[in-house]
Amino acid sequence: MSTIIRIWIIIGILAGVQGGVTWVNRGFKPEVVEVIPGTLEKLPKIIGAWVGKETELDPQIFKKLGASDVVNRTYQNDAAETIAVQVAAWNDIDEWTPHHPTVCIPGQGWNITNTRDLKSEDQNGRAGQVLQADRDTAHMTALYWYQLGPYIYCTRDDARQARQQLWGQKSWPPILKVLMQSSEPDPDQASAQLEELAKQIQAWTVKLH
């Protein structure tokens, strides 16, 4: 086999590999990220027994967050118990789990002591994750999830499965993240309150895509 033929064979192989990489990248990265109809501020302010009020987000924190849209609310019930809720959307979907709570919360000096997955209604996936953390004498219970269209996830592995469902589509929804924190000091009661409100918020977020 002549040198020229070998060179052309190598060129053909490299072109095929490059074409395959490009094809895969196009499948896993959309041409367009959809814009949420309206804004996240349309999140209902009255959800069951909870009434929400806007909480101002510091411009520097919003800039650091890097989200395209965000809403901060404090929901309160008749017993004056409160749950802080943040819903954020990212149009840049290269970061699969932006500002993951298991990274950001310890970064603020908290020590995560327990985590527990919430199962979806069909029991085949996660509907969120509850985590508990301590800092000095303070205790915190939080609940979070990420969302890509109707697909809910909490970890990068789950995110991969969600992206596989959208593979090949030219237009993808933005990444959503919902983070909730209860003021209730009792962990069990706090978890119950968070789960109750989370189900109703999730019923709203899945309709955004």
Side-chain angles (χ1 to χ4, degrees):
M1 183 181 296
S2 68
T3 301
I4 294 177
I5 293 176
R6 288 193 183 98
I7 291 173
W8 279 109
I9 290 175
I10 292 172
I11 291 174
I13 292 173
L14 291 175
V17 170
Q18 181 62 39
V21 170
T22 301
W23 182 74
V24 170
N25 285 339
R26 285 179 178 175
F28 276 101
K29 191 169 183 178
E31 296 178 10
V32 177
V33 176
E34 301 167 2
V35 177
I36 295 175
T39 68
L40 294 177
E41 289 188 359
K42 288 187 175 181
L43 175 68
K45 291 187 176 181
I46 299 177
I47 304 178
W50 299 89
V51 178
K53 292 184 178 180
E54 301 295 332
T55 304
E56 186 176 355
L57 182 65
D58 186 286
Q60 292 299 321
I61 295 178
F62 177 75
K63 183 178 180 181
K64 187 176 181 180
L65 191 63
S68 57
D69 193 11
V70 62
V71 60
N72 277 302
R73 297 257 178 85
T74 298
Y75 285 84
Q76 183 172 315
N77 62 13
D78 293 338
E81 297 165 323
T82 61
I83 293 179
V85 176
Q86 182 183 86
V87 185
W90 284 266
N91 288 335
D92 181 359
I93 62 173
D94 287 338
E95 176 59 52
W96 295 13
T97 55
H99 298 279
H100 201 284
T102 59
V103 175
C104 291
I105 290 176
Q108 297 172 7
W110 293 88
N111 177 44
I112 296 177
T113 58
N114 187 41
T115 61
R116 176 173 57 84
D117 288 341
L118 299 182
K119 289 294 185 180
S120 58
E121 290 187 1
D122 59 11
Q123 299 296 309
N124 291 326
R126 290 186 180 93
Q129 185 174 75
V130 176
L131 61 82
Q132 296 170 353
D134 294 327
R135 184 173 64 185
D136 298 328
T137 59
H139 180 81
M140 175 181 68
T141 304
L143 187 156
Y144 74 93
W145 73 87
Y146 291 89
Q147 202 170 312
L148 193 59
Y151 307 108
I152 293 167
Y153 61 92
C154 295
T155 67
R156 187 174 177 83
D157 285 342
D158 288 345
R160 183 177 293 107
Q161 296 179 26
R163 286 173 173 248
Q164 288 174 350
Q165 300 298 320
L166 299 173
W167 193 87
Q169 296 183 24
K170 293 183 178 180
S171 178
W172 284 21
I175 292 175
L176 290 183
K177 173 188 166 187
V178 179
L179 177 61
M180 308 168 58
Q181 180 180 336
S182 173
S183 67
E184 169 58 47
D186 179 76
D188 293 334
Q189 186 172 343
S191 295
Q193 291 176 347
L194 288 168
E195 291 179 40
E196 173 195 356
L197 187 58
K199 288 180 180 179
Q200 299 178 77
I201 291 178
Q202 203 166 94
W204 181 80
T205 59
V206 296
K207 298 177 181 178
L208 290 177
H209 66 282

